[in-house]
Amino acid sequence: MKRYSILLVTLALVSSGCLKGQNDPVFPSPELTIPVDESVTLQASLPFKFGAAVNNGLLRSKAAYRNVVIKEFNSLTSENAMKFAQLHPSENTYTWSEADYFVDFAQQNGKRVHGHTLIWYKNPPTWVLNYQGDAAAWDKLLKDHIQTVVTRYKGKVASWDVVNEAVAENGTLRDCIWLQKLGPEYIEKSFIYAHQADPDALLFYNDYGHEYGPTKRTGIINLVNSLIQKGVPIHGIGLQMHTRYTQSNANLAAAISTAVATGLKVHIAELDIAMNPDNIQDLTYTAGLAEQQKAKYEFIVRTYNAIPKNQQFGITTWNVGDSDSWIRGEYNRPDWPLPFDDNYNRKAAYQGILDGVK
Ligand code: 9MR
């Protein structure tokens, strides 16, 4: 009888939402966190900028998120608010409110702002896909978008991912609307137009997969070197580094060293380390996995810390806590890719980042 009452009470609590809040993570991570020394933060401990991609919805709705962003990071990227479709949903309409909110938040809290991203194959709005015009009209469309956005944030946004993910897995230029309408020159034009709008902004080419192996990496490096040789205003290379704990240290080191060899600034721009690359639905994040993740974060930070100081633009993680990561939603699997857990407690990975500069 007693057992039955407990069961009823529990059921009532669950259905009334007392035990399970609406915002509870789908894949809660266990309490694998490290003790907090409040005097230690990432931004104060690292000898280069340490940033995060941030999401406006979370900044607004979750105090714990906002607080950890303010406390731990000194460079911010907007995860989505500055993408083409978000800023420029129809030909004659720009919607600035979300990007403004992000830039204001960053400025009020003294953070460097990295702009992401002006031109990307993935998110042209429908009006761009349906746009009819000759080469000159397409050129104007590209130029107008880039210069309107860069001009608005001139002096506020320190750097831009000008072109994102232009290289395909086989190392050739990826098919996309910009390539179709403007040819390969869309890339150099994008940099030139951005530079005209803000000559002080640092301009980056950003891509993923440098660490996959030589095929894609060589395609990216050849592209970047050809831009440099042509005198295109490019100042940095972004290695997204959406990686996994099973990636070899040799591949990660090769990604960083080949980028360094271009002579440009190097930004590890979207770092996260997936712990469930095989999509196992009932995987548990164990202490053993957490230690392997810590070691991988440490290796990446240690390798980056050893590159010439004047090429260190910084490291940015792609969001903050595990439940914020794009990975769970994208792959519909449990995963724990970031240095903070679902409740913004510091994980072993956090300690790995600190250890990387010891
Ligand atoms: O994390 C971003 C996710 O919220 C968006 O839905 C998605 C599409 O715009 O983009 C994600 O961020 C991507 C970034 O802009 C470029 N590199 C890969 C990132 C993860 O997909």
Short mmCIF file of all heavy atoms in Angstrom, two decimals, residues 118-157:
data_model
loop_
_atom_site.label_atom_id
_atom_site.label_comp_id
_atom_site.label_asym_id
_atom_site.label_seq_id
_atom_site.Cartn_x
_atom_site.Cartn_y
_atom_site.Cartn_z
N LEU A 118 29.61 35.65 -43.75
CA LEU A 118 29.03 36.46 -44.82
C LEU A 118 28.51 35.60 -45.97
O LEU A 118 27.36 35.76 -46.39
CB LEU A 118 30.07 37.48 -45.31
CG LEU A 118 30.49 38.51 -44.24
CD1 LEU A 118 31.70 39.31 -44.69
CD2 LEU A 118 29.32 39.46 -43.93
N ILE A 119 29.33 34.72 -46.47
CA ILE A 119 28.93 33.92 -47.64
C ILE A 119 29.16 32.44 -47.34
O ILE A 119 30.27 32.02 -47.00
CB ILE A 119 29.73 34.37 -48.90
CG1 ILE A 119 29.40 35.83 -49.24
CG2 ILE A 119 29.45 33.45 -50.09
CD1 ILE A 119 27.92 36.09 -49.62
N TRP A 120 28.08 31.67 -47.48
CA TRP A 120 28.11 30.24 -47.14
C TRP A 120 27.20 29.52 -48.13
O TRP A 120 26.08 29.99 -48.37
CB TRP A 120 27.61 30.06 -45.71
CG TRP A 120 27.68 28.68 -45.14
CD1 TRP A 120 28.46 27.64 -45.56
CD2 TRP A 120 26.95 28.19 -44.01
NE1 TRP A 120 28.28 26.54 -44.76
CE2 TRP A 120 27.36 26.85 -43.80
CE3 TRP A 120 26.00 28.75 -43.15
CZ2 TRP A 120 26.84 26.07 -42.77
CZ3 TRP A 120 25.50 27.96 -42.13
CH2 TRP A 120 25.91 26.64 -41.92
N TYR A 121 27.64 28.40 -48.63
CA TYR A 121 26.82 27.66 -49.59
C TYR A 121 25.48 27.26 -48.99
O TYR A 121 24.47 27.12 -49.67
CB TYR A 121 27.56 26.40 -50.08
CG TYR A 121 27.47 25.23 -49.13
CD1 TYR A 121 26.48 24.26 -49.30
CD2 TYR A 121 28.35 25.09 -48.06
CE1 TYR A 121 26.38 23.19 -48.42
CE2 TYR A 121 28.25 24.04 -47.18
CZ TYR A 121 27.27 23.09 -47.36
OH TYR A 121 27.15 22.05 -46.49
N LYS A 122 25.46 27.11 -47.64
CA LYS A 122 24.35 26.40 -47.03
C LYS A 122 23.10 27.23 -46.77
O LYS A 122 22.01 26.69 -46.69
CB LYS A 122 24.81 25.80 -45.70
CG LYS A 122 24.03 24.58 -45.31
CD LYS A 122 24.69 23.88 -44.15
CE LYS A 122 24.02 22.55 -43.89
NZ LYS A 122 24.77 21.75 -42.92
N ASN A 123 23.25 28.52 -46.60
CA ASN A 123 22.05 29.22 -46.14
C ASN A 123 21.60 30.39 -46.99
O ASN A 123 21.10 31.38 -46.44
CB ASN A 123 22.23 29.66 -44.69
CG ASN A 123 23.19 30.83 -44.58
OD1 ASN A 123 24.10 30.96 -45.41
ND2 ASN A 123 22.99 31.68 -43.62
N PRO A 124 21.72 30.33 -48.31
CA PRO A 124 21.12 31.45 -49.03
C PRO A 124 19.61 31.40 -48.88
O PRO A 124 19.00 30.32 -48.94
CB PRO A 124 21.53 31.21 -50.49
CG PRO A 124 21.86 29.77 -50.58
CD PRO A 124 22.27 29.32 -49.21
N PRO A 125 18.96 32.54 -48.66
CA PRO A 125 17.51 32.52 -48.57
C PRO A 125 16.89 32.21 -49.93
O PRO A 125 17.57 32.31 -50.97
CB PRO A 125 17.17 33.94 -48.11
CG PRO A 125 18.35 34.76 -48.45
CD PRO A 125 19.54 33.87 -48.48
N THR A 126 15.62 31.88 -49.91
CA THR A 126 14.94 31.49 -51.15
C THR A 126 15.04 32.58 -52.21
O THR A 126 15.19 32.28 -53.39
CB THR A 126 13.45 31.21 -50.84
OG1 THR A 126 13.42 30.51 -49.62
CG2 THR A 126 12.81 30.40 -51.93
N TRP A 127 14.96 33.84 -51.78
CA TRP A 127 14.99 34.91 -52.79
C TRP A 127 16.31 34.89 -53.56
O TRP A 127 16.33 35.19 -54.75
CB TRP A 127 14.70 36.27 -52.17
CG TRP A 127 15.81 36.91 -51.38
CD1 TRP A 127 16.01 36.81 -50.03
CD2 TRP A 127 16.87 37.74 -51.88
NE1 TRP A 127 17.12 37.52 -49.66
CE2 TRP A 127 17.67 38.12 -50.78
CE3 TRP A 127 17.22 38.21 -53.14
CZ2 TRP A 127 18.80 38.93 -50.90
CZ3 TRP A 127 18.35 39.03 -53.26
CH2 TRP A 127 19.13 39.38 -52.15
N VAL A 128 17.38 34.51 -52.89
CA VAL A 128 18.67 34.42 -53.60
C VAL A 128 18.64 33.24 -54.57
O VAL A 128 19.05 33.35 -55.73
CB VAL A 128 19.84 34.31 -52.59
CG1 VAL A 128 21.14 33.98 -53.32
CG2 VAL A 128 19.99 35.59 -51.79
N LEU A 129 18.13 32.12 -54.09
CA LEU A 129 18.07 30.93 -54.96
C LEU A 129 17.22 31.19 -56.20
O LEU A 129 17.49 30.65 -57.27
CB LEU A 129 17.54 29.72 -54.18
CG LEU A 129 18.45 29.23 -53.06
CD1 LEU A 129 17.75 28.17 -52.23
CD2 LEU A 129 19.77 28.69 -53.63
N ASN A 130 16.20 32.03 -56.05
CA ASN A 130 15.29 32.31 -57.18
C ASN A 130 15.70 33.55 -57.97
O ASN A 130 15.02 33.92 -58.93
CB ASN A 130 13.86 32.54 -56.67
CG ASN A 130 13.29 31.27 -56.08
OD1 ASN A 130 13.71 30.18 -56.44
ND2 ASN A 130 12.36 31.40 -55.15
N TYR A 131 16.75 34.18 -57.58
CA TYR A 131 17.12 35.47 -58.17
C TYR A 131 17.47 35.31 -59.65
O TYR A 131 18.19 34.38 -60.04
CB TYR A 131 18.31 36.05 -57.41
CG TYR A 131 18.70 37.44 -57.83
CD1 TYR A 131 17.96 38.54 -57.42
CD2 TYR A 131 19.82 37.65 -58.65
CE1 TYR A 131 18.32 39.82 -57.81
CE2 TYR A 131 20.18 38.93 -59.04
CZ TYR A 131 19.42 40.00 -58.62
OH TYR A 131 19.77 41.26 -59.01
N GLN A 132 16.95 36.22 -60.45
CA GLN A 132 17.24 36.21 -61.89
C GLN A 132 18.09 37.44 -62.20
O GLN A 132 17.70 38.56 -61.85
CB GLN A 132 15.95 36.30 -62.72
CG GLN A 132 14.95 35.20 -62.45
CD GLN A 132 15.43 33.85 -62.96
OE1 GLN A 132 16.08 33.77 -64.00
NE2 GLN A 132 15.13 32.80 -62.21
N GLY A 133 19.21 37.24 -62.86
CA GLY A 133 20.03 38.40 -63.22
C GLY A 133 21.28 37.94 -63.93
O GLY A 133 21.67 36.76 -63.84
N ASP A 134 21.92 38.88 -64.62
CA ASP A 134 23.16 38.51 -65.32
C ASP A 134 24.33 38.56 -64.33
O ASP A 134 24.15 38.83 -63.13
CB ASP A 134 23.39 39.44 -66.53
CG ASP A 134 23.47 40.90 -66.12
OD1 ASP A 134 23.58 41.18 -64.90
OD2 ASP A 134 23.43 41.76 -67.02
N ALA A 135 25.52 38.31 -64.84
CA ALA A 135 26.69 38.22 -63.96
C ALA A 135 26.87 39.52 -63.17
O ALA A 135 27.20 39.50 -61.98
CB ALA A 135 27.93 37.91 -64.79
N ALA A 136 26.63 40.66 -63.83
CA ALA A 136 26.81 41.94 -63.14
C ALA A 136 25.79 42.09 -61.99
O ALA A 136 26.13 42.61 -60.92
CB ALA A 136 26.65 43.09 -64.14
N ALA A 137 24.58 41.61 -62.23
CA ALA A 137 23.55 41.71 -61.19
C ALA A 137 23.91 40.81 -59.99
O ALA A 137 23.73 41.20 -58.83
CB ALA A 137 22.19 41.34 -61.77
N TRP A 138 24.43 39.63 -60.27
CA TRP A 138 24.84 38.73 -59.18
C TRP A 138 26.02 39.31 -58.40
O TRP A 138 26.09 39.20 -57.18
CB TRP A 138 25.18 37.34 -59.73
CG TRP A 138 23.95 36.50 -59.87
CD1 TRP A 138 23.18 36.33 -60.97
CD2 TRP A 138 23.33 35.74 -58.82
NE1 TRP A 138 22.12 35.51 -60.69
CE2 TRP A 138 22.19 35.13 -59.38
CE3 TRP A 138 23.61 35.51 -57.48
CZ2 TRP A 138 21.33 34.30 -58.63
CZ3 TRP A 138 22.78 34.69 -56.74
CH2 TRP A 138 21.65 34.10 -57.32
N ASP A 139 26.91 39.93 -59.14
CA ASP A 139 28.06 40.57 -58.51
C ASP A 139 27.57 41.66 -57.55
O ASP A 139 28.03 41.77 -56.40
CB ASP A 139 28.94 41.17 -59.62
CG ASP A 139 30.32 41.54 -59.12
OD1 ASP A 139 30.47 41.75 -57.92
OD2 ASP A 139 31.23 41.63 -59.95
N LYS A 140 26.59 42.42 -58.02
CA LYS A 140 26.05 43.51 -57.20
C LYS A 140 25.35 42.95 -55.95
O LYS A 140 25.49 43.49 -54.85
CB LYS A 140 25.08 44.35 -58.03
CG LYS A 140 24.51 45.55 -57.28
CD LYS A 140 23.72 46.45 -58.22
CE LYS A 140 23.15 47.68 -57.51
NZ LYS A 140 22.56 47.43 -56.20
N LEU A 141 24.62 41.85 -56.15
CA LEU A 141 23.92 41.22 -55.02
C LEU A 141 24.93 40.81 -53.94
O LEU A 141 24.75 41.09 -52.75
CB LEU A 141 23.16 40.01 -55.55
CG LEU A 141 22.20 39.25 -54.63
CD1 LEU A 141 21.28 38.36 -55.47
CD2 LEU A 141 22.88 38.43 -53.58
N LEU A 142 26.00 40.15 -54.38
CA LEU A 142 27.04 39.70 -53.44
C LEU A 142 27.65 40.90 -52.72
O LEU A 142 27.76 40.93 -51.49
CB LEU A 142 28.13 38.94 -54.22
CG LEU A 142 29.26 38.34 -53.40
CD1 LEU A 142 28.87 36.94 -52.94
CD2 LEU A 142 30.54 38.24 -54.23
N LYS A 143 28.02 41.90 -53.51
CA LYS A 143 28.69 43.08 -52.96
C LYS A 143 27.77 43.84 -52.00
O LYS A 143 28.18 44.23 -50.89
CB LYS A 143 29.10 44.01 -54.11
CG LYS A 143 29.85 45.24 -53.67
CD LYS A 143 30.29 46.05 -54.90
CE LYS A 143 31.10 47.27 -54.48
NZ LYS A 143 31.54 48.05 -55.63
N ASP A 144 26.52 44.02 -52.40
CA ASP A 144 25.59 44.77 -51.56
C ASP A 144 25.39 44.09 -50.21
O ASP A 144 25.38 44.73 -49.16
CB ASP A 144 24.22 44.93 -52.24
CG ASP A 144 24.25 45.99 -53.34
OD1 ASP A 144 25.27 46.70 -53.46
OD2 ASP A 144 23.27 46.07 -54.09
N HIS A 145 25.20 42.77 -50.25
CA HIS A 145 24.99 42.05 -48.98
C HIS A 145 26.21 42.23 -48.08
O HIS A 145 26.09 42.63 -46.91
CB HIS A 145 24.71 40.57 -49.22
CG HIS A 145 24.61 39.82 -47.92
ND1 HIS A 145 23.48 39.86 -47.13
CD2 HIS A 145 25.52 39.09 -47.23
CE1 HIS A 145 23.70 39.16 -46.02
NE2 HIS A 145 24.93 38.69 -46.06
N ILE A 146 27.36 41.90 -48.62
CA ILE A 146 28.59 41.94 -47.80
C ILE A 146 28.82 43.35 -47.27
O ILE A 146 29.07 43.55 -46.07
CB ILE A 146 29.80 41.46 -48.63
CG1 ILE A 146 29.66 39.95 -48.90
CG2 ILE A 146 31.11 41.78 -47.93
CD1 ILE A 146 30.69 39.39 -49.85
N GLN A 147 28.70 44.34 -48.13
CA GLN A 147 29.07 45.69 -47.69
C GLN A 147 28.03 46.30 -46.75
O GLN A 147 28.37 47.05 -45.84
CB GLN A 147 29.34 46.57 -48.91
CG GLN A 147 30.55 46.00 -49.67
CD GLN A 147 31.27 46.99 -50.54
OE1 GLN A 147 30.68 47.94 -51.05
NE2 GLN A 147 32.56 46.75 -50.76
N THR A 148 26.76 45.93 -46.93
CA THR A 148 25.74 46.44 -46.01
C THR A 148 25.98 45.87 -44.61
O THR A 148 25.92 46.60 -43.60
CB THR A 148 24.33 46.05 -46.51
OG1 THR A 148 24.18 46.55 -47.84
CG2 THR A 148 23.25 46.62 -45.63
N VAL A 149 26.29 44.59 -44.54
CA VAL A 149 26.48 43.95 -43.23
C VAL A 149 27.78 44.44 -42.57
O VAL A 149 27.79 44.84 -41.40
CB VAL A 149 26.48 42.41 -43.39
CG1 VAL A 149 26.82 41.74 -42.07
CG2 VAL A 149 25.12 41.93 -43.91
N VAL A 150 28.85 44.42 -43.34
CA VAL A 150 30.15 44.79 -42.75
C VAL A 150 30.15 46.26 -42.34
O VAL A 150 30.67 46.63 -41.28
CB VAL A 150 31.31 44.46 -43.73
CG1 VAL A 150 32.64 44.99 -43.21
CG2 VAL A 150 31.39 42.95 -43.95
N THR A 151 29.52 47.10 -43.14
CA THR A 151 29.47 48.53 -42.81
C THR A 151 28.69 48.76 -41.53
O THR A 151 29.07 49.56 -40.68
CB THR A 151 28.83 49.32 -43.98
OG1 THR A 151 29.63 49.11 -45.14
CG2 THR A 151 28.74 50.80 -43.67
N ARG A 152 27.58 48.04 -41.37
CA ARG A 152 26.78 48.25 -40.16
C ARG A 152 27.59 47.98 -38.88
O ARG A 152 27.42 48.65 -37.87
CB ARG A 152 25.54 47.35 -40.16
CG ARG A 152 24.67 47.59 -38.93
CD ARG A 152 23.39 46.83 -38.99
NE ARG A 152 22.55 47.10 -37.84
CZ ARG A 152 21.62 48.06 -37.78
NH1 ARG A 152 21.44 48.85 -38.81
NH2 ARG A 152 20.89 48.23 -36.69
N TYR A 153 28.46 46.96 -38.96
CA TYR A 153 29.18 46.57 -37.75
C TYR A 153 30.65 47.00 -37.76
O TYR A 153 31.44 46.52 -36.96
CB TYR A 153 29.04 45.05 -37.54
CG TYR A 153 27.60 44.67 -37.32
CD1 TYR A 153 26.88 43.93 -38.26
CD2 TYR A 153 26.92 45.11 -36.18
CE1 TYR A 153 25.54 43.63 -38.07
CE2 TYR A 153 25.58 44.82 -35.97
CZ TYR A 153 24.89 44.07 -36.91
OH TYR A 153 23.57 43.78 -36.71
N LYS A 154 30.97 47.92 -38.66
CA LYS A 154 32.33 48.45 -38.75
C LYS A 154 32.75 49.02 -37.39
O LYS A 154 31.99 49.79 -36.77
CB LYS A 154 32.33 49.56 -39.81
CG LYS A 154 33.66 50.11 -40.15
CD LYS A 154 33.50 51.07 -41.33
CE LYS A 154 34.80 51.51 -41.75
NZ LYS A 154 35.52 52.48 -41.84
N GLY A 155 33.91 48.64 -36.95
CA GLY A 155 34.39 49.14 -35.66
C GLY A 155 33.84 48.36 -34.47
O GLY A 155 34.28 48.56 -33.34
N LYS A 156 32.87 47.49 -34.70
CA LYS A 156 32.31 46.68 -33.62
C LYS A 156 32.67 45.21 -33.78
O LYS A 156 32.91 44.50 -32.81
CB LYS A 156 30.78 46.81 -33.59
CG LYS A 156 30.30 48.22 -33.27
CD LYS A 156 28.78 48.28 -33.20
CE LYS A 156 28.32 49.64 -32.72
NZ LYS A 156 26.85 49.76 -32.72
N VAL A 157 32.65 44.75 -35.03
CA VAL A 157 33.03 43.37 -35.32
C VAL A 157 34.49 43.39 -35.77
O VAL A 157 34.83 44.03 -36.75
CB VAL A 157 32.10 42.78 -36.39
CG1 VAL A 157 32.61 41.44 -36.89
CG2 VAL A 157 30.68 42.63 -35.83
#
